[in-house]
Amino acid sequence: KSTDDNDDTKEEDSKRAVSFSVIMSLCGAALGPFLDSYHSVFGVLQYKYPITFQLWGIDESHPALTTAWWVPELFGLAGF
């Protein structure tokens, strides 16, 4: 292979790596709070200022999501 072919392959691999990292970070930021919410559901931890979200038809005393503002950022970084 020529040097130009190797450069093209390296550039393509770099783009794929960046795309994969961005996708994994977004998935971590979106899904991580739901995993974190299990801690609140089972009484392992409680946040001083929780963020809660309800889903359709679920009792308000049991939110589908209980998390903190910094949890999506933390899981997004972990996904990177």
Side-chain angles (χ1 to χ4, degrees):
K1 287 187 171 184
S2 70
T3 307
D4 290 337
D5 288 341
N6 288 336
D7 288 343
D8 290 343
T9 302
K10 287 179 185 176
E11 184 176 328
E12 182 180 324
D13 288 345
S14 296
K15 287 179 182 178
R16 288 180 62 198
V18 168
S19 296
F20 180 78
S21 295
V22 167
I23 290 169
M24 292 305 294
S25 294
L26 291 173
C27 287
L31 299 174
F34 286 97
L35 295 173
D36 175 63
S37 189
Y38 280 105
H39 294 107
S40 298
V41 168
F42 294 110
V44 175
L45 64 81
Q46 292 181 341
Y47 294 112
K48 188 172 185 176
Y49 303 108
I51 298 170
T52 59
F53 291 105
Q54 296 297 127
L55 294 179
W56 306 274
I58 295 179
D59 182 17
E60 288 186 24
S61 64
H62 301 293
L65 176 68
T66 302
T67 192
W69 67 268
W70 48 266
V71 171
E73 297 172 11
L74 183 66
F75 274 88
L77 184 60
F80 178 74

